[in-house]
Amino acid sequence: MKKGQRVLITGAGRGIGLALANKFAQEGYDLILNYRSEQGKSRANLQRFINSGLADNVSVTLAKADMAEPREISEMVNTLKDQGIGRIDHLILNAASAPFKHFSEMTRNDWKLLLNVNLIGNVACVNQVVPLMSAGGTLCAISSLGSRRVLPKYPLGVMKSALESLVSYLEVELYDKRIRVNGICAGIVNTDMVPFLKDLWPEMFQRYESSPRRWLVEPEEVADIALFLASERSSAIRGTTLTADLGITLQP
């Protein structure tokens, strides 16, 4: 049990984010759970998580900020400080947002969303949180298969490639602070996005569904890897993005 260690999870209100919250709570980590808006599913999901009793044995702090807005990220961290939170041991960059379009269809606002949430916001979050981290802390970035293969109408893949590159750069930059940086490239994860993705990529889904190989990654499996990367058991892993895709990229 990691009683007294605290993890900040961005985009904690859905899918992988909720699985991360649950797993880290089970292991005794205190939680800071970020969400974007008071309206919508994420905030409601987090309240249900708190009410469920799954995190009764740890401290849970909800932290509102749109990861597309560096100013809101700064305000979020200042609010945490005002609440007496002066140390964060682990940071998981999970929040993501993007239009599902061909690049030829992208508008200026689409590009702003893509860059601000997935790159500029992540860097801003790192810069705000790292001063609160001490030696032995870890940072984990959640990526996706769009960084490794071309997926139609998935410009987020370009940002995930950038995020994986950022993992390597931050590992070097934060080494002297003894903060370890890694990432997880998750495959097709079994979240509420699956029906939408199936409509977006019908041929790919048909191929996977006809394969004998299990191909849907459970959010809890991604969370287990994040737990490992936050632990001392992974101390030799640095600046690396682990692939968690059940081996589907091995197939033609």
Side-chain angles (χ1 to χ4, degrees):
M1 298 287 284
K2 291 294 181 181
K3 202 68 177 175
Q5 288 204 17
R6 184 178 288 113
V7 56
L8 167 57
I9 303 166
T10 70
R14 296 175 58 191
I16 294 173
L18 273 176
L20 288 164
N22 190 12
K23 287 285 186 176
F24 274 82
Q26 288 176 17
E27 292 297 316
Y29 289 83
D30 293 330
L31 307 176
I32 303 172
L33 304 178
N34 160 256
Y35 64 100
R36 183 175 65 87
S37 171
E38 293 294 343
Q39 288 74 41
K41 292 182 179 180
S42 293
R43 179 63 174 79
N45 286 343
L46 290 175
Q47 193 59 55
R48 278 194 292 271
F49 169 71
I50 293 171
N51 294 341
S52 71
L54 294 171
D56 280 355
N57 296 321
V58 299
S59 167
V60 181
T61 303
L62 300 186
K64 178 180 175 295
D66 185 343
M67 286 295 117
E69 300 292 340
R71 176 183 55 80
E72 290 194 23
I73 296 169
S74 176
E75 291 173 355
M76 175 186 75
V77 173
N78 286 335
T79 298
L80 292 172
K81 292 176 184 176
D82 291 342
Q83 294 172 335
I85 296 174
R87 192 193 78 252
I88 295 172
D89 301 284
H90 308 281
L91 171 62
I92 302 179
L93 300 172
N94 174 66
S97 185
F100 289 86
K101 293 181 176 182
H102 292 300
F103 283 104
S104 60
E105 301 168 338
M106 295 273 288
T107 67
R108 182 176 181 179
N109 285 337
D110 290 333
W111 278 108
K112 286 177 65 176
L113 172 68
L114 192 66
L115 288 163
N116 287 354
V117 175
N118 304 291
L119 188 58
I120 294 171
N122 279 331
V123 172
C125 190
V126 170
N127 288 339
Q128 289 291 327
V129 172
V130 162
L132 303 183
M133 298 177 75
S134 56
T138 70
L139 192 159
C140 180
I142 306 298
S143 183
S144 70
L145 286 183
S147 67
R148 311 293 173 90
R149 62 194 307 175
V150 176
L151 300 172
K153 296 185 179 181
Y154 194 67
L156 182 60
V158 173
M159 290 298 99
K160 292 301 189 181
S161 296
L163 185 62
E164 291 183 22
S165 180
L166 182 65
V167 164
S168 301
Y169 276 84
L170 288 176
E171 166 58 35
V172 174
E173 187 171 316
L174 299 178
Y175 181 79
D176 288 344
K177 298 182 183 295
R178 294 181 58 196
I179 295 172
R180 193 160 47 85
V181 185
N182 288 294
I184 303 169
C185 179
I188 308 298
V189 183
N190 191 16
T191 70
D192 58 4
M193 283 292 291
V194 166
F196 173 80
L197 296 178
K198 185 174 183 178
D199 288 340
L200 192 67
W201 306 319
E203 293 181 0
M204 186 177 77
F205 270 70
Q206 185 178 15
R207 187 168 67 252
Y208 290 157
E209 287 170 346
S210 63
S211 168
R213 179 183 290 274
R214 181 166 74 92
W215 57 278
L216 267 181
V217 180
E218 296 301 325
E220 292 76 15
E221 293 179 299
V222 180
D224 279 333
I225 299 169
L227 268 172
F228 170 65
L229 290 175
S231 74
E232 295 177 358
R233 291 173 295 171
S234 62
S235 59
I237 303 177
R238 288 181 170 272
T240 298
T241 298
L242 302 179
T243 302
D245 69 349
L246 296 169
I248 61 173
T249 49
L250 300 175
Q251 297 178 278

